[in-house]
PDB file of all heavy atoms in Angstrom:
ATOM      1  N   TYR A 528      40.138 -15.236 -32.755  1.00 92.00           N
ATOM      2  CA  TYR A 528      41.073 -16.374 -32.677  1.00 92.00           C
ATOM      3  C   TYR A 528      41.568 -16.583 -31.249  1.00 92.00           C
ATOM      4  O   TYR A 528      41.668 -17.706 -30.772  1.00 92.00           O
ATOM      5  CB  TYR A 528      42.261 -16.146 -33.614  1.00 92.00           C
ATOM      6  CG  TYR A 528      41.990 -16.490 -35.051  1.00 92.00           C
ATOM      7  CD1 TYR A 528      42.277 -15.591 -36.069  1.00 92.00           C
ATOM      8  CD2 TYR A 528      41.440 -17.715 -35.405  1.00 92.00           C
ATOM      9  CE1 TYR A 528      42.036 -15.904 -37.397  1.00 92.00           C
ATOM     10  CE2 TYR A 528      41.198 -18.046 -36.721  1.00 92.00           C
ATOM     11  CZ  TYR A 528      41.485 -17.137 -37.723  1.00 92.00           C
ATOM     12  OH  TYR A 528      41.242 -17.448 -39.022  1.00 92.00           O
ATOM     13  N   MET A 529      41.896 -15.498 -30.562  1.00 90.00           N
ATOM     14  CA  MET A 529      42.394 -15.625 -29.198  1.00 90.00           C
ATOM     15  C   MET A 529      41.359 -16.245 -28.260  1.00 90.00           C
ATOM     16  O   MET A 529      41.711 -16.866 -27.261  1.00 90.00           O
ATOM     17  CB  MET A 529      42.823 -14.252 -28.660  1.00 90.00           C
ATOM     18  CG  MET A 529      44.052 -13.680 -29.320  1.00 90.00           C
ATOM     19  SD  MET A 529      44.538 -12.092 -28.605  1.00 90.00           S
ATOM     20  CE  MET A 529      45.097 -12.598 -26.978  1.00 90.00           C
ATOM     21  N   ASN A 530      40.088 -16.077 -28.589  1.00 87.00           N
ATOM     22  CA  ASN A 530      39.024 -16.591 -27.739  1.00 87.00           C
ATOM     23  C   ASN A 530      38.383 -17.863 -28.281  1.00 87.00           C
ATOM     24  O   ASN A 530      37.324 -18.280 -27.822  1.00 87.00           O
ATOM     25  CB  ASN A 530      37.965 -15.514 -27.532  1.00 87.00           C
ATOM     26  CG  ASN A 530      38.435 -14.400 -26.620  1.00 87.00           C
ATOM     27  OD1 ASN A 530      38.339 -14.499 -25.407  1.00 87.00           O
ATOM     28  ND2 ASN A 530      38.976 -13.332 -27.204  1.00 87.00           N
ATOM     29  N   GLY A 531      39.020 -18.474 -29.277  1.00 87.00           N
ATOM     30  CA  GLY A 531      38.568 -19.768 -29.761  1.00 87.00           C
ATOM     31  C   GLY A 531      37.394 -19.721 -30.712  1.00 87.00           C
ATOM     32  O   GLY A 531      36.696 -20.722 -30.873  1.00 87.00           O
ATOM     33  N   HIS A 532      37.165 -18.573 -31.361  1.00 88.00           N
ATOM     34  CA  HIS A 532      36.053 -18.450 -32.295  1.00 88.00           C
ATOM     35  C   HIS A 532      36.578 -18.283 -33.716  1.00 88.00           C
ATOM     36  O   HIS A 532      37.690 -17.790 -33.933  1.00 88.00           O
ATOM     37  CB  HIS A 532      35.172 -17.254 -31.937  1.00 88.00           C
ATOM     38  CG  HIS A 532      34.710 -17.246 -30.517  1.00 88.00           C
ATOM     39  ND1 HIS A 532      34.015 -18.288 -29.963  1.00 88.00           N
ATOM     40  CD2 HIS A 532      34.859 -16.317 -29.528  1.00 88.00           C
ATOM     41  CE1 HIS A 532      33.732 -18.011 -28.698  1.00 88.00           C
ATOM     42  NE2 HIS A 532      34.254 -16.823 -28.411  1.00 88.00           N
ATOM     43  N   GLU A 533      35.754 -18.687 -34.683  1.00 88.00           N
ATOM     44  CA  GLU A 533      36.110 -18.448 -36.080  1.00 88.00           C
ATOM     45  C   GLU A 533      35.601 -17.066 -36.471  1.00 88.00           C
ATOM     46  O   GLU A 533      34.396 -16.803 -36.396  1.00 88.00           O
ATOM     47  CB  GLU A 533      35.514 -19.506 -37.002  1.00 88.00           C
ATOM     48  CG  GLU A 533      35.921 -19.306 -38.452  1.00 88.00           C
ATOM     49  CD  GLU A 533      35.516 -20.474 -39.339  1.00 88.00           C
ATOM     50  OE1 GLU A 533      35.216 -21.548 -38.797  1.00 88.00           O
ATOM     51  OE2 GLU A 533      35.498 -20.288 -40.563  1.00 88.00           O
ATOM     52  N   PRO A 534      36.472 -16.189 -36.871  1.00 91.00           N
ATOM     53  CA  PRO A 534      36.055 -14.808 -37.155  1.00 91.00           C
ATOM     54  C   PRO A 534      35.317 -14.676 -38.474  1.00 91.00           C
ATOM     55  O   PRO A 534      35.394 -15.544 -39.347  1.00 91.00           O
ATOM     56  CB  PRO A 534      37.379 -14.042 -37.188  1.00 91.00           C
ATOM     57  CG  PRO A 534      38.366 -15.061 -37.629  1.00 91.00           C
ATOM     58  CD  PRO A 534      37.918 -16.374 -37.038  1.00 91.00           C
ATOM     59  N   GLN A 535      34.612 -13.574 -38.595  1.00 91.00           N
ATOM     60  CA  GLN A 535      33.973 -13.247 -39.863  1.00 91.00           C
ATOM     61  C   GLN A 535      35.041 -12.860 -40.881  1.00 91.00           C
ATOM     62  O   GLN A 535      35.965 -12.108 -40.567  1.00 91.00           O
ATOM     63  CB  GLN A 535      33.005 -12.080 -39.677  1.00 91.00           C
ATOM     64  CG  GLN A 535      31.777 -12.405 -38.841  1.00 91.00           C
ATOM     65  CD  GLN A 535      30.839 -13.359 -39.552  1.00 91.00           C
ATOM     66  OE1 GLN A 535      30.701 -13.308 -40.783  1.00 91.00           O
ATOM     67  NE2 GLN A 535      30.201 -14.224 -38.789  1.00 91.00           N
ATOM     68  N   PRO A 536      34.957 -13.377 -42.105  1.00 94.00           N
ATOM     69  CA  PRO A 536      35.952 -13.010 -43.121  1.00 94.00           C
ATOM     70  C   PRO A 536      35.817 -11.553 -43.534  1.00 94.00           C
ATOM     71  O   PRO A 536      34.750 -10.947 -43.419  1.00 94.00           O
ATOM     72  CB  PRO A 536      35.634 -13.955 -44.285  1.00 94.00           C
ATOM     73  CG  PRO A 536      34.203 -14.322 -44.100  1.00 94.00           C
ATOM     74  CD  PRO A 536      33.951 -14.331 -42.622  1.00 94.00           C
ATOM     75  N   ILE A 537      36.921 -11.000 -43.998  1.00 95.00           N
ATOM     76  CA  ILE A 537      36.964  -9.620 -44.485  1.00 95.00           C
ATOM     77  C   ILE A 537      37.010  -9.648 -46.006  1.00 95.00           C
ATOM     78  O   ILE A 537      37.793 -10.391 -46.600  1.00 95.00           O
ATOM     79  CB  ILE A 537      38.200  -8.880 -43.938  1.00 95.00           C
ATOM     80  CG1 ILE A 537      38.198  -8.888 -42.410  1.00 95.00           C
ATOM     81  CG2 ILE A 537      38.253  -7.442 -44.453  1.00 95.00           C
ATOM     82  CD1 ILE A 537      39.467  -8.329 -41.795  1.00 95.00           C
ATOM     83  N   ASN A 538      36.182  -8.843 -46.631  1.00 95.00           N
ATOM     84  CA  ASN A 538      36.137  -8.788 -48.090  1.00 95.00           C
ATOM     85  C   ASN A 538      37.094  -7.711 -48.594  1.00 95.00           C
ATOM     86  O   ASN A 538      36.858  -6.520 -48.412  1.00 95.00           O
ATOM     87  CB  ASN A 538      34.717  -8.487 -48.572  1.00 95.00           C
ATOM     88  CG  ASN A 538      34.645  -8.368 -50.091  1.00 95.00           C
ATOM     89  OD1 ASN A 538      35.445  -8.972 -50.801  1.00 95.00           O
ATOM     90  ND2 ASN A 538      33.703  -7.595 -50.585  1.00 95.00           N
ATOM     91  N   TRP A 539      38.178  -8.134 -49.230  1.00 95.00           N
ATOM     92  CA  TRP A 539      39.178  -7.202 -49.772  1.00 95.00           C
ATOM     93  C   TRP A 539      38.968  -6.930 -51.259  1.00 95.00           C
ATOM     94  O   TRP A 539      39.764  -6.214 -51.870  1.00 95.00           O
ATOM     95  CB  TRP A 539      40.582  -7.765 -49.577  1.00 95.00           C
ATOM     96  CG  TRP A 539      40.975  -7.951 -48.149  1.00 95.00           C
ATOM     97  CD1 TRP A 539      40.860  -9.083 -47.390  1.00 95.00           C
ATOM     98  CD2 TRP A 539      41.551  -6.964 -47.282  1.00 95.00           C
ATOM     99  NE1 TRP A 539      41.318  -8.867 -46.114  1.00 95.00           N
ATOM    100  CE2 TRP A 539      41.750  -7.575 -46.020  1.00 95.00           C
ATOM    101  CE3 TRP A 539      41.908  -5.625 -47.447  1.00 95.00           C
ATOM    102  CZ2 TRP A 539      42.300  -6.887 -44.939  1.00 95.00           C
ATOM    103  CZ3 TRP A 539      42.449  -4.943 -46.378  1.00 95.00           C
ATOM    104  CH2 TRP A 539      42.644  -5.571 -45.134  1.00 95.00           C
ATOM    105  N   ASP A 540      37.915  -7.501 -51.852  1.00 93.00           N
ATOM    106  CA  ASP A 540      37.796  -7.499 -53.310  1.00 93.00           C
ATOM    107  C   ASP A 540      36.650  -6.662 -53.847  1.00 93.00           C
ATOM    108  O   ASP A 540      36.218  -6.851 -54.976  1.00 93.00           O
ATOM    109  CB  ASP A 540      37.635  -8.948 -53.806  1.00 93.00           C
ATOM    110  CG  ASP A 540      38.832  -9.817 -53.452  1.00 93.00           C
ATOM    111  OD1 ASP A 540      39.966  -9.299 -53.550  1.00 93.00           O
ATOM    112  OD2 ASP A 540      38.638 -10.986 -53.077  1.00 93.00           O
ATOM    113  N   ASN A 541      36.113  -5.738 -53.050  1.00 94.00           N
ATOM    114  CA  ASN A 541      35.085  -4.861 -53.587  1.00 94.00           C
ATOM    115  C   ASN A 541      35.701  -3.977 -54.664  1.00 94.00           C
ATOM    116  O   ASN A 541      36.599  -3.176 -54.384  1.00 94.00           O
ATOM    117  CB  ASN A 541      34.470  -3.992 -52.480  1.00 94.00           C
ATOM    118  CG  ASN A 541      33.260  -3.207 -52.960  1.00 94.00           C
ATOM    119  OD1 ASN A 541      33.207  -2.721 -54.085  1.00 94.00           O
ATOM    120  ND2 ASN A 541      32.277  -3.064 -52.086  1.00 94.00           N
ATOM    121  N   PRO A 542      35.256  -4.081 -55.914  1.00 93.00           N
ATOM    122  CA  PRO A 542      35.891  -3.305 -56.996  1.00 93.00           C
ATOM    123  C   PRO A 542      35.733  -1.803 -56.855  1.00 93.00           C
ATOM    124  O   PRO A 542      36.498  -1.045 -57.462  1.00 93.00           O
ATOM    125  CB  PRO A 542      35.175  -3.835 -58.252  1.00 93.00           C
ATOM    126  CG  PRO A 542      33.859  -4.344 -57.758  1.00 93.00           C
ATOM    127  CD  PRO A 542      34.125  -4.897 -56.390  1.00 93.00           C
ATOM    128  N   LEU A 543      34.769  -1.356 -56.050  1.00 94.00           N
ATOM    129  CA  LEU A 543      34.548   0.082 -55.909  1.00 94.00           C
ATOM    130  C   LEU A 543      35.677   0.777 -55.165  1.00 94.00           C
ATOM    131  O   LEU A 543      35.843   1.997 -55.286  1.00 94.00           O
ATOM    132  CB  LEU A 543      33.219   0.343 -55.187  1.00 94.00           C
ATOM    133  CG  LEU A 543      31.946  -0.091 -55.914  1.00 94.00           C
ATOM    134  CD1 LEU A 543      30.725   0.198 -55.057  1.00 94.00           C
ATOM    135  CD2 LEU A 543      31.826   0.602 -57.262  1.00 94.00           C
ATOM    136  N   LYS A 544      36.465   0.028 -54.386  1.00 92.00           N
ATOM    137  CA  LYS A 544      37.504   0.681 -53.584  1.00 92.00           C
ATOM    138  C   LYS A 544      38.587   1.294 -54.456  1.00 92.00           C
ATOM    139  O   LYS A 544      39.281   2.220 -54.037  1.00 92.00           O
ATOM    140  CB  LYS A 544      38.130  -0.308 -52.605  1.00 92.00           C
ATOM    141  CG  LYS A 544      39.097  -1.304 -53.205  1.00 92.00           C
ATOM    142  CD  LYS A 544      39.740  -2.172 -52.150  1.00 92.00           C
ATOM    143  CE  LYS A 544      40.738  -3.151 -52.765  1.00 92.00           C
ATOM    144  NZ  LYS A 544      41.346  -4.025 -51.760  1.00 92.00           N
ATOM    145  N   THR A 545      38.753   0.799 -55.686  1.00 93.00           N
ATOM    146  CA  THR A 545      39.828   1.299 -56.544  1.00 93.00           C
ATOM    147  C   THR A 545      39.512   2.650 -57.160  1.00 93.00           C
ATOM    148  O   THR A 545      40.404   3.335 -57.659  1.00 93.00           O
ATOM    149  CB  THR A 545      40.137   0.294 -57.671  1.00 93.00           C
ATOM    150  OG1 THR A 545      38.985   0.174 -58.528  1.00 93.00           O
ATOM    151  CG2 THR A 545      40.474  -1.067 -57.092  1.00 93.00           C
ATOM    152  N   THR A 546      38.235   3.045 -57.135  1.00 93.00           N
ATOM    153  CA  THR A 546      37.850   4.321 -57.727  1.00 93.00           C
ATOM    154  C   THR A 546      37.105   5.213 -56.741  1.00 93.00           C
ATOM    155  O   THR A 546      36.766   6.359 -57.090  1.00 93.00           O
ATOM    156  CB  THR A 546      36.944   4.090 -58.957  1.00 93.00           C
ATOM    157  OG1 THR A 546      35.819   3.285 -58.583  1.00 93.00           O
ATOM    158  CG2 THR A 546      37.721   3.405 -60.069  1.00 93.00           C
ATOM    159  N   HIS A 547      36.848   4.725 -55.526  1.00 93.00           N
ATOM    160  CA  HIS A 547      36.128   5.545 -54.542  1.00 93.00           C
ATOM    161  C   HIS A 547      36.975   6.753 -54.152  1.00 93.00           C
ATOM    162  O   HIS A 547      38.137   6.617 -53.747  1.00 93.00           O
ATOM    163  CB  HIS A 547      35.811   4.717 -53.291  1.00 93.00           C
ATOM    164  CG  HIS A 547      35.238   5.530 -52.174  1.00 93.00           C
ATOM    165  ND1 HIS A 547      33.947   6.023 -52.186  1.00 93.00           N
ATOM    166  CD2 HIS A 547      35.792   5.970 -51.006  1.00 93.00           C
ATOM    167  CE1 HIS A 547      33.729   6.703 -51.093  1.00 93.00           C
ATOM    168  NE2 HIS A 547      34.828   6.700 -50.345  1.00 93.00           N
ATOM    169  N   GLU A 548      36.397   7.938 -54.268  1.00 92.00           N
ATOM    170  CA  GLU A 548      37.096   9.157 -53.898  1.00 92.00           C
ATOM    171  C   GLU A 548      36.760   9.530 -52.454  1.00 92.00           C
ATOM    172  O   GLU A 548      35.681   9.213 -51.953  1.00 92.00           O
ATOM    173  CB  GLU A 548      36.730  10.304 -54.831  1.00 92.00           C
ATOM    174  CG  GLU A 548      37.080  10.046 -56.298  1.00 92.00           C
ATOM    175  CD  GLU A 548      38.573   9.870 -56.555  1.00 92.00           C
ATOM    176  OE1 GLU A 548      39.372  10.097 -55.626  1.00 92.00           O
ATOM    177  OE2 GLU A 548      38.947   9.516 -57.684  1.00 92.00           O
ATOM    178  N   LEU A 549      37.687  10.199 -51.784  1.00 92.00           N
ATOM    179  CA  LEU A 549      37.578  10.424 -50.353  1.00 92.00           C
ATOM    180  C   LEU A 549      36.949  11.766 -50.005  1.00 92.00           C
ATOM    181  O   LEU A 549      37.139  12.270 -48.903  1.00 92.00           O
ATOM    182  CB  LEU A 549      38.974  10.306 -49.710  1.00 92.00           C
ATOM    183  CG  LEU A 549      39.725   9.010 -50.016  1.00 92.00           C
ATOM    184  CD1 LEU A 549      41.014   8.954 -49.225  1.00 92.00           C
ATOM    185  CD2 LEU A 549      38.877   7.783 -49.736  1.00 92.00           C
ATOM    186  N   TYR A 550      36.196  12.335 -50.923  1.00 92.00           N
ATOM    187  CA  TYR A 550      35.477  13.577 -50.662  1.00 92.00           C
ATOM    188  C   TYR A 550      34.006  13.354 -51.021  1.00 92.00           C
ATOM    189  O   TYR A 550      33.660  12.435 -51.777  1.00 92.00           O
ATOM    190  CB  TYR A 550      36.067  14.739 -51.455  1.00 92.00           C
ATOM    191  CG  TYR A 550      36.277  14.457 -52.922  1.00 92.00           C
ATOM    192  CD1 TYR A 550      35.236  14.609 -53.840  1.00 92.00           C
ATOM    193  CD2 TYR A 550      37.510  14.034 -53.401  1.00 92.00           C
ATOM    194  CE1 TYR A 550      35.419  14.340 -55.189  1.00 92.00           C
ATOM    195  CE2 TYR A 550      37.703  13.767 -54.748  1.00 92.00           C
ATOM    196  CZ  TYR A 550      36.656  13.922 -55.633  1.00 92.00           C
ATOM    197  OH  TYR A 550      36.838  13.657 -56.963  1.00 92.00           O
ATOM    198  N   PRO A 551      33.086  14.169 -50.468  1.00 92.00           N
ATOM    199  CA  PRO A 551      31.656  13.948 -50.718  1.00 92.00           C
ATOM    200  C   PRO A 551      31.309  13.976 -52.197  1.00 92.00           C
ATOM    201  O   PRO A 551      31.935  14.674 -52.993  1.00 92.00           O
ATOM    202  CB  PRO A 551      30.988  15.118 -49.971  1.00 92.00           C
ATOM    203  CG  PRO A 551      31.976  15.526 -48.934  1.00 92.00           C
ATOM    204  CD  PRO A 551      33.325  15.295 -49.538  1.00 92.00           C
ATOM    205  N   GLU A 552      30.283  13.226 -52.545  1.00 92.00           N
ATOM    206  CA  GLU A 552      29.859  13.167 -53.939  1.00 92.00           C
ATOM    207  C   GLU A 552      29.252  14.485 -54.412  1.00 92.00           C
ATOM    208  O   GLU A 552      29.081  14.699 -55.611  1.00 92.00           O
ATOM    209  CB  GLU A 552      28.860  12.024 -54.116  1.00 92.00           C
ATOM    210  CG  GLU A 552      29.493  10.650 -53.898  1.00 92.00           C
ATOM    211  CD  GLU A 552      28.496   9.520 -54.052  1.00 92.00           C
ATOM    212  OE1 GLU A 552      27.270   9.784 -53.917  1.00 92.00           O
ATOM    213  OE2 GLU A 552      28.930   8.384 -54.302  1.00 92.00           O
ATOM    214  N   THR A 553      28.942  15.356 -53.461  1.00 93.00           N
ATOM    215  CA  THR A 553      28.413  16.676 -53.826  1.00 93.00           C
ATOM    216  C   THR A 553      29.502  17.625 -54.312  1.00 93.00           C
ATOM    217  O   THR A 553      29.199  18.691 -54.839  1.00 93.00           O
ATOM    218  CB  THR A 553      27.704  17.325 -52.624  1.00 93.00           C
ATOM    219  OG1 THR A 553      28.630  17.416 -51.531  1.00 93.00           O
ATOM    220  CG2 THR A 553      26.503  16.492 -52.195  1.00 93.00           C
ATOM    221  N   PHE A 554      30.769  17.265 -54.126  1.00 94.00           N
ATOM    222  CA  PHE A 554      31.870  18.148 -54.500  1.00 94.00           C
ATOM    223  C   PHE A 554      31.925  18.353 -56.010  1.00 94.00           C
ATOM    224  O   PHE A 554      31.873  17.400 -56.788  1.00 94.00           O
ATOM    225  CB  PHE A 554      33.206  17.548 -54.050  1.00 94.00           C
ATOM    226  CG  PHE A 554      33.689  18.083 -52.728  1.00 94.00           C
ATOM    227  CD1 PHE A 554      32.807  18.428 -51.737  1.00 94.00           C
ATOM    228  CD2 PHE A 554      35.046  18.220 -52.465  1.00 94.00           C
ATOM    229  CE1 PHE A 554      33.235  18.907 -50.510  1.00 94.00           C
ATOM    230  CE2 PHE A 554      35.500  18.696 -51.255  1.00 94.00           C
ATOM    231  CZ  PHE A 554      34.589  19.043 -50.269  1.00 94.00           C
ATOM    232  N   SER A 555      32.053  19.613 -56.399  1.00 95.00           N
ATOM    233  CA  SER A 555      32.344  19.951 -57.793  1.00 95.00           C
ATOM    234  C   SER A 555      33.857  20.039 -57.957  1.00 95.00           C
ATOM    235  O   SER A 555      34.615  19.918 -56.976  1.00 95.00           O
ATOM    236  CB  SER A 555      31.712  21.292 -58.146  1.00 95.00           C
ATOM    237  OG  SER A 555      32.297  22.341 -57.360  1.00 95.00           O
ATOM    238  N   LYS A 556      34.309  20.291 -59.186  1.00 94.00           N
ATOM    239  CA  LYS A 556      35.741  20.484 -59.409  1.00 94.00           C
ATOM    240  C   LYS A 556      36.242  21.677 -58.611  1.00 94.00           C
ATOM    241  O   LYS A 556      37.344  21.657 -58.061  1.00 94.00           O
ATOM    242  CB  LYS A 556      36.030  20.683 -60.895  1.00 94.00           C
ATOM    243  CG  LYS A 556      37.527  20.812 -61.214  1.00 94.00           C
ATOM    244  CD  LYS A 556      37.751  20.994 -62.699  1.00 94.00           C
ATOM    245  CE  LYS A 556      39.249  21.035 -63.007  1.00 94.00           C
ATOM    246  NZ  LYS A 556      39.959  22.111 -62.262  1.00 94.00           N
ATOM    247  N   GLN A 557      35.428  22.729 -58.534  1.00 96.00           N
ATOM    248  CA  GLN A 557      35.819  23.900 -57.756  1.00 96.00           C
ATOM    249  C   GLN A 557      35.990  23.551 -56.280  1.00 96.00           C
ATOM    250  O   GLN A 557      36.969  23.962 -55.643  1.00 96.00           O
ATOM    251  CB  GLN A 557      34.761  24.994 -57.908  1.00 96.00           C
ATOM    252  CG  GLN A 557      34.964  26.198 -56.983  1.00 96.00           C
ATOM    253  CD  GLN A 557      33.864  27.225 -57.117  1.00 96.00           C
ATOM    254  OE1 GLN A 557      33.751  27.873 -58.166  1.00 96.00           O
ATOM    255  NE2 GLN A 557      33.042  27.378 -56.074  1.00 96.00           N
ATOM    256  N   ASP A 558      35.047  22.770 -55.722  1.00 95.00           N
ATOM    257  CA  ASP A 558      35.140  22.367 -54.317  1.00 95.00           C
ATOM    258  C   ASP A 558      36.392  21.533 -54.080  1.00 95.00           C
ATOM    259  O   ASP A 558      37.096  21.721 -53.080  1.00 95.00           O
ATOM    260  CB  ASP A 558      33.903  21.568 -53.914  1.00 95.00           C
ATOM    261  CG  ASP A 558      32.631  22.392 -53.956  1.00 95.00           C
ATOM    262  OD1 ASP A 558      32.712  23.604 -53.701  1.00 95.00           O
ATOM    263  OD2 ASP A 558      31.565  21.823 -54.243  1.00 95.00           O
ATOM    264  N   TYR A 559      36.669  20.628 -55.011  1.00 93.00           N
ATOM    265  CA  TYR A 559      37.853  19.779 -54.873  1.00 93.00           C
ATOM    266  C   TYR A 559      39.132  20.611 -54.938  1.00 93.00           C
ATOM    267  O   TYR A 559      40.041  20.437 -54.115  1.00 93.00           O
ATOM    268  CB  TYR A 559      37.863  18.713 -55.971  1.00 93.00           C
ATOM    269  CG  TYR A 559      39.131  17.886 -55.987  1.00 93.00           C
ATOM    270  CD1 TYR A 559      39.269  16.784 -55.154  1.00 93.00           C
ATOM    271  CD2 TYR A 559      40.191  18.221 -56.826  1.00 93.00           C
ATOM    272  CE1 TYR A 559      40.434  16.026 -55.152  1.00 93.00           C
ATOM    273  CE2 TYR A 559      41.360  17.476 -56.829  1.00 93.00           C
ATOM    274  CZ  TYR A 559      41.472  16.387 -55.995  1.00 93.00           C
ATOM    275  OH  TYR A 559      42.637  15.650 -55.990  1.00 93.00           O
ATOM    276  N   ASP A 560      39.215  21.504 -55.900  1.00 94.00           N
ATOM    277  CA  ASP A 560      40.432  22.303 -56.063  1.00 94.00           C
ATOM    278  C   ASP A 560      40.688  23.177 -54.835  1.00 94.00           C
ATOM    279  O   ASP A 560      41.837  23.368 -54.425  1.00 94.00           O
ATOM    280  CB  ASP A 560      40.329  23.176 -57.314  1.00 94.00           C
ATOM    281  CG  ASP A 560      40.402  22.367 -58.604  1.00 94.00           C
ATOM    282  OD1 ASP A 560      40.878  21.215 -58.545  1.00 94.00           O
ATOM    283  OD2 ASP A 560      39.955  22.877 -59.654  1.00 94.00           O
ATOM    284  N   ARG A 561      39.636  23.725 -54.241  1.00 94.00           N
ATOM    285  CA  ARG A 561      39.823  24.549 -53.049  1.00 94.00           C
ATOM    286  C   ARG A 561      40.255  23.715 -51.843  1.00 94.00           C
ATOM    287  O   ARG A 561      41.095  24.143 -51.050  1.00 94.00           O
ATOM    288  CB  ARG A 561      38.525  25.293 -52.735  1.00 94.00           C
ATOM    289  CG  ARG A 561      38.183  26.367 -53.741  1.00 94.00           C
ATOM    290  CD  ARG A 561      36.876  27.077 -53.394  1.00 94.00           C
ATOM    291  NE  ARG A 561      36.604  28.175 -54.324  1.00 94.00           N
ATOM    292  CZ  ARG A 561      35.571  28.992 -54.231  1.00 94.00           C
ATOM    293  NH1 ARG A 561      34.689  28.829 -53.238  1.00 94.00           N
ATOM    294  NH2 ARG A 561      35.412  29.957 -55.110  1.00 94.00           N
ATOM    295  N   SER A 562      39.675  22.526 -51.721  1.00 93.00           N
ATOM    296  CA  SER A 562      39.927  21.699 -50.549  1.00 93.00           C
ATOM    297  C   SER A 562      41.255  20.961 -50.605  1.00 93.00           C
ATOM    298  O   SER A 562      41.878  20.719 -49.564  1.00 93.00           O
ATOM    299  CB  SER A 562      38.791  20.673 -50.386  1.00 93.00           C
ATOM    300  OG  SER A 562      37.540  21.300 -50.234  1.00 93.00           O
TER     301      SER A 562
END
Side-chain angles (χ1 to χ4, degrees):
Y528 279 129
M529 291 182 69
N530 288 275
H532 307 304
E533 182 171 343
Q535 292 291 325
I537 302 173
N538 178 28
W539 297 94
D540 299 320
N541 188 322
L543 295 178
K544 76 176 181 181
T545 64
T546 55
H547 172 73
E548 300 297 352
L549 306 186
Y550 49 84
E552 294 179 338
T553 57
F554 264 34
S555 64
K556 183 180 183 303
Q557 172 183 292
D558 295 328
Y559 174 84
D560 290 341
R561 291 180 176 183
S562 301

